[in-house]
Amino acid sequence: MRQTRHLPFKESADYIRKYFGAAHHDIAVVLGSGLGGFTAHLSDKKVLKTAEIPSYPQSTVVGHSGEIVSAELNDKRVLVFSGRVHYYESASTVNSALTGIVSHQLGIENIVLTNAAGILNESFDPGDLMLIKDQINLTFRNVLKDLGSLTAKPGPIYSGKFAAKMFAGAEKASVNLKAGVYLGLTGPSYETAAEVKMFRLLGGDAVGMSTVQEAIFAQSVGMNVAGISCLTNYCTGLTSKVLTHEEVTQIGARVDDKFSRLLTEFIALI
Ligand code: HPA
């Protein structure tokens, strides 16, 4: 893997490093829509509002608080991104991979990407947590190409070692962790019933509008990547109910306890 010469967001990363007093972080955690409650379980917290970080793209989505938190969890130091930028907000794969790019520049070697996702696989239920075993990037875009100076690294995007630790953590936390393939789209439209039928045939278990570019970038620079989807709703066509964004953020709040227990046990194992 060739090292990057000029990654974007260097100014942002320098500011974040200075703000947190050059603390070394063992792992970065990116919280998806409605999952911001995780930060309440952390101690020795220092909070940075992303609005004050120079050159840092801002999220406009409801359920994303726009904060970066440096904190202690057991004996690990974690850097939590509460909120991320989606492709549909800025039409930029580079902005979509912001959390991975910044974490890498801070020297963080491990990352957990979490998101809210719709259910394609009918054996799952709203409120389930799904380990992302693999992904299908149906954005038809790739951050490595758009960064220009990176080449892809062979091998799986999601670390098998981290998947095993996530299952071990789930057992300790008594969480019934599902596993499946995350299919990433640009959004912002929710899928049509016909698209849902196609995505199921393609092998997707859950669908969402984030994560894929962050994961591609992080893996390419040698970071260990884990992913967790919080399954918020059945996709269009699998239910007669009409989906709302409130539904997506409200389930996040409902799973907060088991989600936090899972991450806590996982992070203890890394
Ligand atoms: N589709 C796409 N993204 C989502 C969904 C969905 O049904 N639910 C939460 N994020």
Side-chain angles (χ1 to χ4, degrees), residues 2 4 8 11 37 40 57 69 77 86 89-91 94 112 115 117 122 131 134 141-142 149 154 168 175 216 239 261:
R2 211 152 24 96
T4 51
E11 195 189 1
V69 180
R77 191 93 207 151
H86 301 79
E89 294 177 83
S90 69
V94 174
V112 182
N115 57 47
E122 281 170 307
L131 173 88
D134 205 350
R141 292 166 177 86
N142 191 300
S149 60
V175 170
I216 286 170
T239 170
R261 281 188 284 123

Side-chain angles (χ1 to χ4, degrees), residues 26 131-132 183 197:
D26 298 293
L131 173 88
I132 302 176
L183 189 144
K197 200 168 166 187

Side-chain angles (χ1 to χ4, degrees), residues 116-119 190-191 207-209 232-235 243 248:
I119 297 171
Y190 284 103
E191 307 70 41
V207 63
M209 305 173 193
T232 54
N233 57 279
Y234 290 112
C235 283
L243 173 64
V248 171

Side-chain angles (χ1 to χ4, degrees), residues 90-113:
S90 69
S92 157
T93 58
V94 174
N95 286 357
S96 310
L98 171 69
T99 62
I101 296 171
V102 166
S103 297
H104 174 57
Q105 296 196 69
L106 295 174
I108 305 174
E109 289 169 3
N110 305 306
I111 191 162
V112 182
L113 302 168

